[in-house]
Amino acid sequence: MRHLSADRGGDLHLARLIRSEKEVEGRYEEVWTLVEEDALDQWPAGPGAVVGRDAPRLDGYEKARGEARYTGDIRLPGLLESAVLRSPHARAKVRRIDLSKAAAAPGVFAAVGPGEVWGMDGEVHFESAAVAGVAAETLAQARAALELIEVEWEELEPLLDAAEAVARGSVLQESRRYERGDYERGLAQADAVVEAEYSTQTLNHNPLETHQCVCEWRGDSLDVYVSTQYIWGLRRDLAANLGLPQDKVRVVCEFMGGGFGAKNGVGNYITLAAELARRTHRPVRCALSRREENVVGGNRNATRQRVTAAARTDGTLTALGGEYTCALGWAGWLPPTAGPTQLLYACENVRTVEHGAQLNLPPMAAFRAPGFVEGTWSLECVLDKLAAQLGVDPLELRKRNYAHADPMDGRPFSSKSLMECYRRAGPHWARRHEVRARSDEVWKRGMGIASQIWYGGGGPPSYAWVRLGSDGRANVVTAMQDIGTGTRTAMAMIAAEELGLPLDRVEVQIGDSARGPFASISGGSSTLPSMGPAVRSAAADAARQVVELAAQRFDRPERTLSLRGGSIVCSDGGNWPLADITGLLENGQILGKGSRGPNPTGMRVLTFGLQLAEVAVDVGTGEVRVEKVVAIHDVGRVINPLGARSQIEGGIIQALGHTFSEHRLDDPHTGTVLTKTLDAYKLPTIADVPEIVCDLVDEPDAHLTNLGSKGLGEPPIVPTAAAIANAIRDATGADVTSLPITREEILRALREAEERQRERERVAAGAA
Ligand code: MOS
């Protein structure tokens, strides 16, 4: 298919530098971006020949058969293994360290100590900070050598309490304050004000594949095989750390086993492997063990939140407020925890403050919608309490405060189908009385809802090439990574659609900075909306060349020709197999190139959704069973509905872990992590998975480049915990306020609800 704007004429490839807004997980920056004119109209809404139809992963069999090559499968000649000596203390100094015995141990090729590698020094600020590393012939030899390192520690008092840290000014960045309207007046205007405290726990990403790399020097160039969400960012930052030109660093990530935000950048396991490789003239692997992953692999920071919601009797919000304290650990950044309160509803008076405590705990890292997961939990819970107090239907309350434009600055949304999500929720929501009626003495049933808002529009720059050979097959080439979401498959689908080819005639070459152009991060739900338009644009460039050749060969005007079903089709009924043109190429190749166009100026690009949860609560034991989750999301055009459902299911399953079982526990006195294994840190299993119903609005965003697609990696995890908590309240009257929702928390909330009930009865009896 081919949709070129009529007025573009011959200016298809005008290279320009454009200022464009780029956003990743709520952090906005203005970037200069080199783009070529984005001259493609969007495809019509609805399924095309390939796009919009279920496609299994192109690499599914490769992965299932163990043929896909992950970083852990890399076996280079002469490869050495490494092990890292880590601090047993949360805060300490290395007074003296002796590496000599380790360096002389059997099989050992090199040992490095504090100060010899970027990110590894003699002062440690959290448990398991790296202080020394050893490279040896085998992993066992490397680990044995660690035992021979002599260290004299000076232990220092760790700072572990977030509130205390904020009070003492130990913060990673200035507290972030936001206010619009007149918050105090908003409270005064309200008929009901609900104030409550919520908390969330520290969580570990625990991707199936731990952080790992293999580094190999080739002359003055470094090859890095690494599990990463951002090939080009890692290349840039590693080159800077090593003082190398970027083109001297090659980053390879063909397959990876997830990251969830924890693999966005350079870690000292990479700089360590690079240094050990430099010293030994051998390739060196450094791979975190599962235990190391559970301490230094990054985490979702714990929070304490005090939130306020105020409304008039009809449910119109008059004020929203929040004070959020984030326990960030030693490093990281302050995630947008107040984001949902600022953005989700059309409330005139909003006041938020976010604090980012710096503590002697392992550094936080972005984790699937960082900030918004925690902030949505409190906002959507407190709104439900408010709805109950006012006697307004919770769904109705959300509709009544619908934001038709960005509530922060009045900008129009590039697209927003949240109202359609609410409309589609209607029939499910109507079943709540019937669900409640199925309660018995022991098991109480209920239903809850929560809204979702998040970023996910992507941005420039991103580039792709498409190669069409004499066999009429297409090859998409771009140096992006597939974090595990199925990006590779989505890119093939987009190219196939544009070239009018069946999917099995498209290959995708990714994962190597030396073999393809710049590609953006797999983070912030931005991969598809960043990469997809570049791939489509490259495919369109190739398609245009085919059409030009066909016009000459078949003597038809170009505008009458298009590519469809592996053929060149003319509006006069002419139809030629693509091979009639490509077959003439012999060794010639049609090379298309494409880039991601700029984001729409003056518009806010966001994703939206709503989830409904159905639960059963055993009021005797506090056991909760989530029986069903309905997820209704608006992410613009859906490229692969099968892949999209898989993202939604994955997000909800991860959310169930965050809601009920996952919890990194730290020793409150020493700051060491107690949950280092997967039997202590409880990830959900298939037995925890409820019925999940996915419903995607699938309405292309008319303003968002040539695809109209937004990202879906993060949205599904955002509202689940609040929807479940609201369902628990609906079932039992209990207000749960802390994550994870343990049985103790349920029983506490049930007792509190009973006391409230008794108090009401006492008051009523007194009045009578
Ligand atoms: Mo972000 S949590 O890297 O998608």
Side-chain angles (χ1 to χ4, degrees):
M1 253 192 275
R2 185 158 171 268
H3 303 270
L4 300 178
S5 296
D7 60 350
R8 294 300 178 190
D11 293 345
L12 278 169
H13 293 281
L14 186 65
R16 293 181 306 159
L17 272 172
I18 294 182
R19 283 302 267 180
S20 180
E21 196 171 59
K22 175 150 182 131
E23 166 278 318
V24 176
E25 300 181 331
R27 287 173 288 178
Y28 283 86
E29 52 172 344
E30 281 266 311
V31 292
W32 277 112
T33 172
L34 173 65
V35 291
E36 295 182 51
E37 188 65 349
D38 188 18
L40 298 167
D41 292 336
Q42 288 187 8
W43 294 316
V50 179
V51 159
R53 300 184 187 277
D54 287 353
R57 302 256 171 124
L58 296 185
D59 48 17
Y61 286 111
E62 236 173 313
K63 287 180 169 180
R65 290 176 183 140
E67 293 162 355
R69 232 175 270 171
Y70 291 81
T71 303
D73 298 313
I74 301 290
R75 299 273 179 275
L76 298 175
L79 179 68
L80 300 179
E81 303 287 338
S82 68
V84 181
L85 182 74
R86 296 183 179 278
S87 168
H89 311 297
R91 187 172 167 225
K93 280 183 184 156
V94 176
R95 269 217 201 102
R96 192 185 64 84
I97 186 164
D98 185 353
L99 301 171
S100 56
K101 284 189 192 132
V108 171
F109 279 68
V112 294
E116 297 181 65
V117 168
W118 174 90
M120 198 175 87
D121 57 44
E123 196 168 343
V124 300
H125 304 282
F126 52 92
E127 187 220 335
S128 289
V131 287
V134 170
E137 203 74 61
T138 68
L139 184 57
Q141 287 170 330
R143 285 185 176 161
L146 291 187
E147 305 287 325
L148 303 173
I149 298 176
E150 292 167 14
V151 193
E152 207 178 292
W153 291 102
E154 178 186 343
E155 273 188 70
L156 301 165
E157 189 65 33
L159 177 55
L160 301 171
D161 183 80
E164 188 192 336
V166 171
R168 279 164 49 175
S170 173
V171 292
L172 267 178
Q173 62 193 77
E174 281 294 295
S175 295
R176 201 161 47 209
R177 286 166 205 285
Y178 169 81
E179 178 149 5
R180 70 169 177 256
D182 184 336
Y183 179 69
E184 302 298 339
R185 208 181 57 197
L187 289 179
Q189 288 168 342
D191 297 308
V193 179
V194 180
E195 213 185 330
E197 277 186 39
Y198 294 90
S199 65
T200 65
Q201 77 279 44
T202 310
L203 292 159
N204 288 126
H205 303 67
N206 267 312
L208 211 50
E209 179 195 33
T210 63
H211 286 70
Q212 51 194 293
C213 71
V214 171
C215 288
E216 180 180 41
W217 288 90
R218 298 205 288 173
D220 60 354
S221 296
L222 178 66
D223 287 359
V224 185
Y225 302 83
V226 60
S227 177
T228 182
Q229 292 176 232
Y230 194 11
I231 285 176
W232 290 85
L234 199 151
R235 188 183 94 119
R236 179 194 60 213
D237 295 344
L238 187 58
N241 288 343
L242 299 174
L244 291 173
Q246 291 188 31
D247 276 332
K248 295 290 184 189
V249 177
R250 173 178 168 222
V251 177
V252 182
C253 176
E254 215 189 328
F255 290 95
M256 70 179 293
F260 306 116
K263 293 178 181 167
N264 285 339
V266 177
N268 58 13
Y269 64 101
I270 301 173
T271 47
L272 175 67
E275 177 60 17
L276 290 169
R278 196 184 62 79
R279 292 191 186 191
T280 58
H281 304 283
R282 296 266 210 125
V284 173
R285 180 196 315 284
C286 188
L288 264 60
S289 67
R290 183 58 61 184
R291 282 173 177 268
E292 289 173 309
E293 185 72 26
N294 269 282
V295 185
V296 295
N299 59 77
R300 188 192 291 284
N301 59 269
T303 66
R304 295 199 70 86
Q305 315 181 22
R306 178 151 202 93
V307 298
T308 306
R312 282 195 265 271
T313 44
D314 67 351
T316 306
L317 290 169
T318 59
L320 288 173
E323 179 161 1
Y324 311 88
T325 300
C326 299
L328 299 180
W330 186 252
W333 51 285
L334 184 54
T337 320
T341 293
Q342 297 164 351
L343 275 175
L344 186 45
Y345 296 108
C347 177
E348 279 171 24
N349 310 301
V350 175
R351 177 190 286 170
T352 61
V353 53
E354 299 156 286
H355 308 288
Q358 185 178 35
L359 302 165
N360 292 113
L361 290 169
M364 65 76 79
F367 192 161
R368 210 168 188 169
F372 275 54
V373 163
E374 302 86 286
T376 300
W377 154 248
S378 58
L379 173 65
E380 289 295 277
C381 283
V382 83
L383 276 193
D384 243 51
K385 279 183 83 156
L386 182 67
Q389 195 157 323
L390 292 167
V392 175
D393 176 272
L395 182 56
E396 192 49 42
L397 181 95
R398 286 165 173 86
K399 286 183 189 168
R400 193 153 305 166
N401 295 287
Y402 196 80
H404 293 278
D406 184 339
M408 294 179 79
D409 59 14
R411 267 188 294 179
F413 294 113
S414 60
S415 72
K416 178 174 182 177
S417 296
L418 182 57
M419 195 55 95
E420 173 63 12
C421 297
Y422 290 157
R423 197 191 63 74
R424 293 185 187 197
H428 301 285
W429 186 233
R431 287 182 49 250
R432 69 193 181 284
H433 309 292
E434 173 201 319
V435 168
R436 255 199 311 257
R438 282 193 282 111
S439 300
D440 56 34
E441 275 309 295
V442 176
W443 288 97
K444 304 295 178 197
R445 289 185 156 78
M447 194 188 277
I449 55 169
S451 298
Q452 172 258 317
I453 193 165
W454 173 247
Y455 308 98
S462 279
Y463 304 95
W465 301 329
V466 167
R467 192 170 74 207
L468 204 59
S470 59
D471 57 359
R473 296 178 61 87
N475 222 300
V476 177
V477 182
T478 178
M480 71 168 196
Q481 57 291 316
D482 183 341
I483 185 177
T485 49
T487 318
R488 191 185 255 110
T489 305
M491 296 308 132
M493 294 173 76
I494 290 165
E497 183 73 31
E498 189 64 28
L499 289 162
L501 282 176
L503 190 53
D504 62 8
R505 278 167 66 180
V506 180
E507 307 289 330
V508 181
Q509 316 279 332
I510 62 169
D512 188 338
S513 68
R515 297 179 185 165
F518 176 92
S520 71
I521 189 170
S522 289
S525 302
S526 70
T527 324
L528 182 65
S530 297
M531 296 306 305
V535 169
R536 184 177 171 220
S537 146
D541 187 19
R544 173 186 56 82
Q545 298 177 52
V546 172
V547 165
E548 283 169 6
L549 297 176
Q552 295 159 43
R553 182 142 186 99
F554 306 132
D555 197 21
R556 300 290 200 288
E558 273 174 42
R559 62 185 157 72
T560 64
L561 297 172
S562 59
L563 305 182
R564 219 174 296 150
S567 296
I568 300 155
V569 182
C570 185
S571 55
D572 67 10
N575 190 314
W576 306 267
L578 184 61
D580 283 6
I581 293 299
T582 57
L584 305 172
L585 290 171
E586 297 183 352
N587 286 330
Q589 296 183 330
I590 290 174
L591 300 174
K593 63 190 177 87
S595 61
R596 166 59 152 88
N599 279 337
T601 41
M603 289 185 162
R604 175 80 94 162
V605 187
L606 295 171
T607 57
F608 306 93
L610 175 87
Q611 288 183 7
L612 301 95
E614 262 180 61
V615 303
V617 184
D618 180 332
V619 289
T621 65
E623 182 182 350
V624 182
R625 285 192 205 143
V626 178
E627 303 197 314
K628 186 175 180 179
V629 177
V630 178
I632 307 169
H633 291 273
D634 162 31
V635 291
R637 178 196 301 280
V638 176
I639 300 299
N640 183 0
L642 181 63
R645 290 199 295 278
S646 147
Q647 280 304 293
I648 292 178
E649 288 169 2
I652 288 169
I653 295 166
Q654 194 164 44
L656 288 168
H658 293 192
T659 305
F660 291 110
S661 62
E662 296 180 45
H663 192 181
R664 191 192 79 188
L665 293 171
D666 310 323
D667 183 317
H669 303 293
T670 64
T672 58
V673 172
L674 304 171
T675 45
K676 289 187 170 120
T677 60
L678 290 184
D679 49 43
Y681 186 92
K682 295 190 185 68
L683 294 169
T685 71
I686 196 67
D688 299 301
V689 178
E691 181 189 354
I692 296 174
V693 178
C694 304
D695 186 2
L696 285 152
V697 173
D698 196 9
E699 183 68 41
D701 181 329
H703 298 284
L704 194 57
T705 76
N706 62 29
L707 266 195
S709 292
K710 302 172 188 175
L712 181 61
E714 290 158 311
I717 200 177
V718 171
T720 319
I724 290 170
N726 291 339
I728 292 171
R729 179 186 307 101
D730 186 52
T732 65
D735 277 320
V736 291
T737 56
S738 74
L739 292 178
I741 305 171
T742 58
R743 293 189 183 199
E744 291 91 330
E745 170 66 2
I746 293 275
L747 295 175
R748 178 202 65 74
L750 281 169
R751 265 196 312 275
E752 189 191 76
E754 276 162 24
E755 273 160 33
R756 267 202 311 268
Q757 182 59 27
R758 269 199 299 275
E759 181 60 28
R760 268 196 296 272
E761 282 162 12
R762 261 199 303 276
V763 171

